Amino acid sequence: MTISHLRNKDVPEVQNCYIIRPMAIKTERNGPIARPPARMSFSLRASWYFILASLLVFGRLAFAVSSSTMTNGVLSKPLSLADAINIALQQNPAVRRGQKDLEAAQGVVIQTRAIAIPKIKITGSYSAVQPSDVDTVSIASGTGAGFHFGTDQSWSTQIRLTQSLYEGGRMVSALRAGRLTREQSLLNYQTTVANTVVEVRVAYYDVLLAAQQIIVQEASVELLRKELADTNRRYDAGTVPRFNVLRAEVELANAQPKLIRARNSFRIAKNNLVNLLGLNVPKETLEDIPLALSDKLEKEPYQIELPQAISFALERRSELASLRKAQALRNEDVINAKAGYKPSLQAFAGYDARNSIFSSDLTDELHGWIAGVQLTWDIFDGQRTRGKVKEAGALYERAGVELEDTERRIELEVRTAYSSFIEAAELLSSQAKVLEQAEEALRLAEARSEAGSGTQLDVLSAQTALTEARATQIQALHDYAVARARLERAVGMNVPSQ
């Protein structure tokens, strides 16, 4: 993959980002396939097609090997969040589709600007009719001889250069529309990148959460195992009844399903992340993908006020900028539609050659330069232009309504994301000392039980409270990280710089 930087001077209202384009490899994946020459023997043509088929097969194998190599590289070492985002920007299917949409938009730009560029056309014709079908004229001369006017075969060829001089405003509008189309396609691609980034971040945090949940549940099971062993020891010593042993066994059995579910959630979360990264997992890989992450769930301070967040979103969101470009394009459609009321003027120049109609010899030709201008003006077209103007005007107004509605929806999205972020931050702050308190409560409950002043129920309750405190803290860290990622997406600040 190759990376080229988009700068603000290239696309107005767009923050700096990197556009990733496929390398210019002429295969069926990103370019036309060469065709064999028309005049070629059967053996050479067969050899040519064999070579092409070999290249296509080799290209597919190379792509598969490259994808497999990247997958093995990702699975062989811990993966950071930055690395995950970079891989997704190269491999994620949505991003790759966006790249193809960029290429398609470039084709639309070329088509749009074609009206302002000179055209060169070569025409040629040949016709032959039965001699009896030729209308001939015999003109007798003073000597009694004559000649015939008309031939049963004729040919002509012409090369002509045509340049539009006036198209009722279409030419200037086409240049503006080409620029707007290019900028809109870049903005749409930026939206795809931003959506992919937030999805990868959330999936990455989900894997971290699932991994921590396994640790929490394993610690809970280990505590309950120790409690069961201690209770059995006391039961054998005759200091506790059989009921305490049964109670400890039931608590341990009840903790096992939570550990099993945590491990399953971990497997599913890793599969989701690998899928977002666009990696092909080898078929021989077991259900538990050997994917290790290097980052941790941590509280990273993030300060922003709601009015500032809304202002940033209305200024930076690529969706709004794209809709503004779309509205401008609809205005160009109105200009194009109104051009139907105006004349069209073209100038042309070329060279013409044809056979003489006064000779039956096809090699007897006439040729010379031609030049001129042509004007066309539809005085009345059955109100076709009026209908186009009305349609274009309605679509322009509709684009304005869609822009206003999207602004309101984005403001609502920012308010919702901001509220969720405040909630996550407050929940995380409320759990700051709960874990320490739960650990101290368990220590005191065990000490009281050892001294004989406490009950088994106190110990089990303290163990349950400690497990819940650990799980709640991990969940709060995950919710905070996810809420921050979604808020940054809503504000339009999550487009990566690399």
Side-chain angles (χ1 to χ4, degrees), residues 37 48 156 176 302 326 383 425 462 471 479:
W48 180 273
S156 66
R176 290 195 301 263
Y302 184 65
Q383 295 190 339
D479 294 345

Side-chain angles (χ1 to χ4, degrees), residues 35-100:
R35 298 181 181 273
R39 296 180 179 178
M40 183 181 292
S41 66
F42 176 79
S43 59
L44 290 178
R45 183 178 292 271
S47 301
W48 180 273
Y49 282 121
F50 175 77
I51 293 173
L52 280 182
S54 301
L55 289 175
L56 294 180
V57 172
F58 177 77
R60 291 193 179 96
L61 291 176
F63 179 78
V65 170
S66 175
S67 179
S68 177
T69 302
M70 176 172 287
T71 301
N72 294 332
V74 170
L75 300 181
S76 63
K77 61 181 181 180
L79 180 69
S80 67
L81 178 58
D83 291 337
I85 291 175
N86 287 331
I87 292 173
L89 293 180
Q90 297 180 25
Q91 295 288 118
N92 183 270
V95 174
R96 293 170 62 188
R97 285 194 296 269
Q99 295 167 4
K100 296 305 177 183

Side-chain angles (χ1 to χ4, degrees), residues 156-330:
S156 66
T157 183
Q158 183 180 104
I159 180 172
R160 175 178 292 199
L161 171 67
T162 304
Q163 172 63 58
S164 295
L165 301 179
Y166 180 72
E167 296 289 344
R170 288 193 186 98
M171 290 192 294
V172 178
S173 176
L175 297 177
R176 290 195 301 263
R179 175 179 56 82
L180 291 170
T181 301
R182 177 178 61 87
E183 294 173 356
Q184 185 187 34
S185 65
L186 294 173
L187 290 166
N188 291 337
Y189 178 77
Q190 186 180 7
T191 300
T192 301
V193 169
N195 291 335
T196 301
V197 168
V198 72
E199 290 176 359
V200 170
R201 291 179 66 180
V202 172
Y204 192 94
Y205 297 144
D206 289 344
V207 176
L208 292 177
L209 172 64
Q212 291 298 318
Q213 286 176 337
I214 291 177
I215 295 175
V216 169
Q217 297 303 325
E218 286 178 344
S220 174
V221 170
E222 183 62 25
L223 284 174
L224 292 173
R225 279 204 184 98
K226 290 181 179 179
E227 177 62 23
L228 177 59
D230 184 65
T231 304
N232 281 323
R233 179 177 55 82
R234 294 185 181 187
Y235 173 73
D236 293 338
T239 58
V240 296
R242 175 65 179 168
F243 172 79
N244 286 23
V245 176
L246 294 175
R247 172 93 183 210
E249 291 176 347
V250 170
E251 290 293 334
L252 178 59
N254 288 337
Q256 293 290 347
K258 296 180 181 179
L259 177 58
I260 294 172
R261 293 191 185 96
R263 289 171 176 167
N264 180 57
S265 298
F266 185 51
R267 291 192 297 268
I268 293 175
K270 288 192 293 183
N271 277 280
N272 290 335
L273 177 58
V274 170
N275 182 66
L276 282 174
L277 297 183
L279 301 178
N280 297 321
V281 180
K283 304 302 181 183
E284 62 273 10
T285 303
L286 300 179
E287 68 278 1
D288 189 9
I289 299 177
L291 176 65
L293 306 184
S294 60
D295 290 358
K296 298 180 180 179
L297 287 173
E298 297 177 347
K299 180 182 179 181
E300 299 180 3
Y302 184 65
Q303 298 292 334
I304 189 171
E305 299 296 332
L306 181 59
Q308 185 184 23
I310 295 176
S311 176
F312 282 165
L314 296 179
E315 177 185 357
R316 299 181 178 183
R317 286 290 290 266
S318 55
E319 295 95 325
L320 291 177
S322 177
L323 288 176
R324 295 187 186 104
K325 303 299 180 185
Q327 187 181 29
L329 283 171
R330 299 291 79 77

